[in-house]
Amino acid sequence: MASRAAGTYPPVPEPLAHPVVDTHTHLDICTGVRLPLGAGEPEPEVRPDEDEEFPSLDFFFDTAQSAGVQRIVQIGCDLPAARWTTELVTQQSQQGRQWMLGGVALHPNEAPRLAERGMLDDALTEIESLVASTDRMRVVGETGLDYFRTGEDGVAEQQRAFRAHIEMAKRTGKALQIHDREAHADVLRILREEGAPEVTIFHCYSGDEAMARECADAGYYMSFAGNLTFKNADELRRAAAAAPLDRLLTETDAPFLTPHPHRGKPGGPYLAAVTARKLAEVRGMSEEDLCAAVWKNAETALGSWD
Ligand SMILES: [Zn+2]
């Protein structure tokens, strides 16, 4: 039997000098409750086998705590994952583990598939009721545009779903987390046309330095994931250096985007520590100062975890 037991994961880094937040992770996929969306996310090179064992939620909790990733935002981006997320964040809070907030949406690659079956509007209604159902839910996301995975025939429904999520975030007073893959110009345009929610976050920021300045002018947050550490990511590192300190966030998008030198392996929220260290290096800051700043930014953007 194939196994993703703890030993196959990248080692847990030394604890950070100051804690950070993983503002975007998929524990439903990390723990094997859900398989990755058919075309929803960058796919890990390690694909889960049918009878594969996954680590437990406790593995991800313990490793995150010991690396200094003390808080996370769990993201469910199709209906089953959204229902699971809402239950999990409520349950963790009731158990006194105040480490988790949640977010739900219909992923930009999921929306056209639902539309094709005539299910998009009902699904959006359910997403809104889930996100409004508890104060532990703080994010509408991930939503946005993905021109890499969805072909031209899906674009219209994808844009319609993105607009609907923007309105939903404003109605419910939650933050908007954006998935933008090879669609920078249209994402920025639609945000302008609709009027962006008060807190708008580019999850797994992937733009260049010029776009970082545009985001900064609009007051958008830029959340950096493990791809910041990839060898070919000089342009992304320049963007991370140019963004204003008070707009920066850290995340993993786990189990995806595992940082260098473990790229391609499945990861967990604890690896936000690696990205935070790289962010400090890129900005020429001490680890402690950088982590303290992004920790505070996460609270400013999303509110208190307590
Ligand atoms: Zn994601």
Side-chain angles (χ1 to χ4, degrees), residues 184-294:
H184 304 323
D186 279 359
V187 167
L188 290 167
R189 174 180 58 82
I190 288 174
L191 282 171
R192 269 195 310 273
E193 286 172 4
E194 294 293 327
E198 200 178 309
V199 177
T200 296
I201 301 164
F202 276 75
H203 132 67
C204 186
Y205 180 81
S206 62
D208 62 8
E209 198 179 326
M211 180 170 157
R213 294 188 201 286
E214 206 173 330
C215 287
D217 288 344
Y220 304 152
Y221 288 88
M222 288 157 267
S223 181
F224 287 87
N227 50 339
L228 184 72
T229 69
F230 291 175
K231 279 187 186 154
N232 59 356
D234 287 336
E235 190 171 282
L236 188 60
R237 286 187 280 272
R238 279 195 292 277
L245 183 61
D246 71 353
R247 297 293 104 177
L248 289 180
L249 294 168
T250 46
E251 64 164 86
T252 59
D253 204 20
F256 311 107
L257 297 176
T258 297
H260 176 80
H262 301 287
R263 184 176 182 177
K265 281 192 183 172
Y270 66 98
L271 294 168
V274 178
T275 299
R277 286 199 168 104
K278 177 55 88 178
L279 207 46
E281 181 194 316
V282 161
R283 299 193 55 103
M285 291 174 70
S286 75
E287 179 181 311
E288 185 168 7
D289 288 351
L290 183 280
C291 293
V294 294

Side-chain angles (χ1 to χ4, degrees), residues 54-271:
F54 289 83
S56 64
L57 190 63
D58 279 338
F59 167 79
F60 293 106
F61 176 78
D62 293 343
T63 50
Q65 298 299 312
S66 58
V69 183
Q70 289 188 3
R71 295 173 171 176
I72 68 154
V73 182
Q74 155 62 24
I75 297 295
C77 55
D78 62 13
L79 273 182
R83 293 173 190 135
W84 184 85
T85 295
T86 309
E87 255 174 58
L88 181 69
V89 297
T90 305
Q91 188 194 79
Q92 291 289 301
S93 168
Q94 284 165 353
Q95 290 171 3
R97 280 178 168 182
Q98 307 298 0
W99 70 309
M100 193 185 285
L101 296 175
V104 292
L106 302 171
H107 193 282
N109 293 321
E110 176 73 354
R113 284 199 291 263
L114 289 166
E116 224 168 78
R117 285 177 280 152
M119 294 163 68
L120 179 58
D121 290 304
D122 284 352
L124 284 166
T125 302
E126 184 173 348
I127 289 290
E128 179 156 352
S129 78
L130 288 169
V131 82
S133 68
T134 158
D135 178 55
R136 301 308 287 178
M137 302 295 285
R138 304 282 172 82
V139 171
V140 172
E142 59 194 278
T143 177
L145 304 176
D146 188 322
Y147 293 170
F148 179 74
R149 287 204 180 265
T150 294
E152 254 171 55
D153 48 335
V155 165
E157 291 296 350
Q158 201 174 71
Q159 294 192 357
R160 180 166 83 85
F162 182 32
R163 290 180 194 275
H165 283 98
I166 294 170
E167 292 311 311
M168 190 192 297
K170 291 195 281 192
R171 264 197 308 274
T172 56
K174 313 282 178 177
L176 185 74
Q177 268 192 4
I178 292 172
H179 171 108
D180 160 27
R181 194 151 183 212
E182 300 187 4
H184 304 323
D186 279 359
V187 167
L188 290 167
R189 174 180 58 82
I190 288 174
L191 282 171
R192 269 195 310 273
E193 286 172 4
E194 294 293 327
E198 200 178 309
V199 177
T200 296
I201 301 164
F202 276 75
H203 132 67
C204 186
Y205 180 81
S206 62
D208 62 8
E209 198 179 326
M211 180 170 157
R213 294 188 201 286
E214 206 173 330
C215 287
D217 288 344
Y220 304 152
Y221 288 88
M222 288 157 267
S223 181
F224 287 87
N227 50 339
L228 184 72
T229 69
F230 291 175
K231 279 187 186 154
N232 59 356
D234 287 336
E235 190 171 282
L236 188 60
R237 286 187 280 272
R238 279 195 292 277
L245 183 61
D246 71 353
R247 297 293 104 177
L248 289 180
L249 294 168
T250 46
E251 64 164 86
T252 59
D253 204 20
F256 311 107
L257 297 176
T258 297
H260 176 80
H262 301 287
R263 184 176 182 177
K265 281 192 183 172
Y270 66 98
L271 294 168

